[in-house]
Amino acid sequence: MNMQPTGVIAPPSPKHLAEIELPMVMMRDILLKTMFRKTLDLVSELAQALCLPIPITQELVDLAREQKLLEATGTLNANSGNEMGYQLTDQGKARALDALAQSEYFGAMPVPLHIYREQVKRQSIRNIQVTRDQLTTAMGHLILPPELLDHLGPAVSAGRSILMYGPPGNGKSSISNGIRDALGDKVYVPRAIEYSGQVITVYDPIVHNALPDIVDDPTSLRRAKRFDQRYVCCERPTVVTGGELSLSMLDLVYNPTARTYQAPLQLKSTGGIFIVDDLGRQAEPPQALVNRWIVPLEESKDILGLQSGEKFEVPFDTLVIFSTNFHPNEIFDNAALRRIFFKIKIDGPDQENFLKIFAMVARKKKMPLDERALVHLIRNKYPTIDNVYANYQPVFLIDQMIAICEFEGIPYQMSPELIDRAWANMFVRDEVIVK
């Protein structure tokens, strides 16, 4: 089944070695290192490891042979379509070891940064138009006031930064995940990119959800690749960070042993969503975090630095969602707030929606509703907290009653008494502790 992304132009498969646009020495060395580390001797195997078409891989092999770095084994393998085998010469092994001492990177040929920029434009998050129906469907598991979608819809379609703020426990994180689900599109993520001779790995199976159905036959000489295999076709990525987020996580990660770089979180999220949850709980102040994003948010580009100190630009094409329990005026100055394009307040539900959420959660958890218990909850409990409802409370209360029922060995049920026991665990009373 061909599950290539609709509406996104795939990176075309290169036809000639020159189209790779990497330094010839770099390509040759990656070939030698890959043969050395993976003990491969067939062009078809090398093509799969390098993520290149077979004819281009053959061009590289022929180049290395001319330089006396490879030699044909002189045997045809009947189990591999009568392919000629190749092996490293002594000179080739020495060159491979020397190249590995400079960089341990081998395998998939990287994509030059300037070529990757063009692919980012083709699959930009700002090219997506999310309809009300798509957003409503993605948020179907949530009970939200209609006016909230009025604000969310244009924000998501614009692909610009969003700040969601409001009291804790009202679904800001769930709404962020719903936005992610509403995108429903796919992008092509490079396995690695190259800048100034340095390799930066981008594809991360922890962040990127690859589509398993897009498979090309690497041994076929006649079958054209549907897209450049140096990319992985994935769902639009979502990176979620919380209190652990630090400014250093937004920089290139250098591996001194392998002498390679790993892309920072925001580069891995290109074409998708970067969610900063619980803003204000990080070690760095929110103002410092937002200051780091000012240039990317305004100019759609980020500045990264190599170990040498050289700075360079990378695309910044991600929908950034900040979520906080603090009022924006408490944690940002006006300049920072101007940089965040949409600011949406997420309040708790009114009583009607609270009861809808309560009923939905009870049904999902197989907890029978009891009218006396609900009347007791609304009339006697909520007035003690000024009738302030929150989205997390139905789940909390019902889970508490389920735990009590299981402990007591009785069928799931709710009653005024069980409501009281569950309620007692939802809040901590102010009292003086005598030591």
Side-chain angles (χ1 to χ4, degrees):
M1 180 180 177
N2 181 2
M3 290 186 64
Q4 290 191 52
T6 56
V8 171
I9 301 173
S13 184
K15 302 277 192 303
H16 306 287
L17 191 56
E19 293 178 23
I20 306 294
E21 296 192 44
L22 289 172
M24 197 63 72
V25 171
M26 183 182 198
M27 291 191 284
R28 181 205 65 192
D29 284 353
I30 289 176
L31 168 75
L32 299 177
K33 289 188 286 184
T34 303
M35 289 187 74
F36 185 84
R37 282 288 188 230
K38 303 191 79 167
T39 60
L40 303 176
D41 59 0
L42 299 176
V43 173
S44 60
E45 295 172 338
L46 282 165
Q48 189 171 15
L50 297 172
C51 299
L52 294 177
I54 286 178
I56 291 180
T57 306
Q58 185 69 59
E59 283 187 70
L60 269 179
V61 167
D62 292 342
L63 173 71
R65 285 185 71 190
E66 290 172 11
Q67 298 177 0
K68 311 299 185 188
L69 301 171
L70 291 184
E71 61 186 3
T73 59
T75 56
L76 296 174
N77 190 329
N79 295 326
S80 302
N82 291 324
E83 278 192 72
M84 178 68 73
Y86 296 91
Q87 64 185 15
L88 295 165
T89 63
D90 289 342
Q91 186 180 343
K93 289 177 184 175
R95 179 58 212 164
L97 288 168
D98 186 46
L100 284 165
Q102 296 174 44
S103 168
E104 274 283 343
Y105 184 82
F106 64 91
M109 203 64 71
V111 178
L113 177 58
H114 69 277
I115 292 179
Y116 175 52
R117 283 196 186 102
E118 296 305 310
Q119 183 58 33
V120 171
K121 291 177 185 175
R122 288 192 284 263
Q123 60 194 27
S124 173
I125 189 76
R126 295 184 177 88
N127 294 342
I128 292 180
Q129 290 300 313
V130 176
T131 66
R132 181 179 290 272
D133 286 345
Q134 286 173 309
L135 199 55
T136 302
T137 300
M139 303 285 184
H141 61 299
L142 303 173
I143 293 175
L144 303 172
E147 59 270 17
L148 180 56
L149 292 181
D150 295 342
H151 297 299
L152 281 176
V156 176
S157 287
R160 306 291 292 271
S161 53
I162 301 172
L163 171 65
M164 292 191 293
Y165 65 98
N170 282 312
K172 291 185 290 295
S173 300
S174 299
I175 291 169
S176 298
N177 293 331
I179 291 172
R180 173 196 62 197
D181 296 340
L183 297 181
D185 201 1
K186 311 292 184 291
V187 291
Y188 294 90
V189 179
R191 300 173 196 272
I193 58 177
E194 176 271 343
Y195 172 76
S196 191
Q198 302 297 316
V199 177
I200 303 164
T201 58
V202 179
Y203 172 70
D204 182 346
I206 295 174
V207 171
H208 300 110
N209 188 12
L211 289 178
D213 293 324
I214 298 190
V215 178
D216 280 306
D217 183 357
T219 64
S220 173
L221 290 169
R222 290 188 294 267
R223 185 178 179 190
K225 297 284 193 292
R226 287 192 293 270
F227 62 91
D228 189 338
Q229 296 298 287
R230 292 176 296 165
Y231 293 81
V232 182
C233 188
C234 303
E235 294 180 1
R236 287 193 179 267
T238 301
V239 171
V240 182
T241 64
E244 78 284 359
L245 178 64
S246 64
L247 288 172
S248 63
M249 294 166 69
L250 305 178
D251 295 328
L252 284 173
V253 179
Y254 181 67
N255 184 327
T257 304
R259 298 174 186 82
T260 58
Y261 293 87
Q262 185 180 120
L265 294 174
Q266 71 275 20
L267 188 53
K268 290 180 181 180
S269 71
T270 299
I273 299 177
F274 192 113
I275 299 172
V276 182
D277 211 355
D278 282 333
L279 188 64
R281 305 292 182 196
Q282 293 77 15
E284 276 99 353
Q287 184 73 44
L289 286 170
V290 171
N291 286 346
R292 170 63 179 81
W293 295 84
I294 285 177
V295 170
L297 290 174
E298 288 196 336
E299 301 183 22
S300 298
K301 65 183 180 184
D302 197 8
I303 309 295
L304 299 178
L306 299 174
Q307 285 286 297
S308 63
E310 181 181 357
K311 304 289 185 182
F312 64 103
E313 293 179 3
V314 294
F316 186 86
D317 186 75
T318 184
L319 171 59
V320 182
I321 301 177
F322 299 102
S323 172
T324 182
N325 299 331
F326 296 97
H327 193 282
N329 291 336
E330 295 176 12
I331 55 177
F332 297 125
D333 61 22
N334 288 333
L337 284 174
R338 280 201 310 273
R339 265 73 182 205
I340 301 174
F341 208 69
F342 292 92
K343 293 164 275 286
I344 302 173
K345 190 168 191 293
I346 310 294
D347 275 320
D350 57 18
Q351 186 183 101
E352 180 184 354
N353 280 332
F354 170 83
L355 290 172
K356 286 181 182 178
I357 296 168
F358 198 97
M360 183 178 70
V361 173
R363 184 168 58 251
K364 183 178 178 181
K365 294 180 177 287
K366 297 181 170 51
M367 168 65 80
L369 289 172
D370 179 84
E371 186 177 352
R372 285 190 317 120
L374 286 174
V375 169
H376 175 68
L377 179 65
I378 298 299
R379 288 186 179 173
N380 299 323
K381 291 300 177 185
Y382 272 97
T384 65
I385 57 168
D386 298 325
N387 294 313
V388 176
Y389 301 96
N391 284 311
Y392 80 92
Q393 292 164 350
V395 175
F396 185 94
L397 292 169
I398 290 170
D399 281 348
Q400 287 282 328
M401 287 187 282
I402 286 173
I404 294 168
C405 291
E406 289 177 346
F407 174 73
E408 301 290 358
I410 58 177
Y412 286 1
Q413 58 190 273
M414 62 176 66
S415 66
E417 293 75 24
L418 288 175
I419 289 285
D420 287 342
R421 291 176 67 178
W423 185 271
N425 280 326
M426 197 156 64
F427 303 102
V428 178
R429 289 174 298 185
D430 290 327
E431 53 188 32
V432 178
I433 299 176
V434 180
K435 295 183 179 180

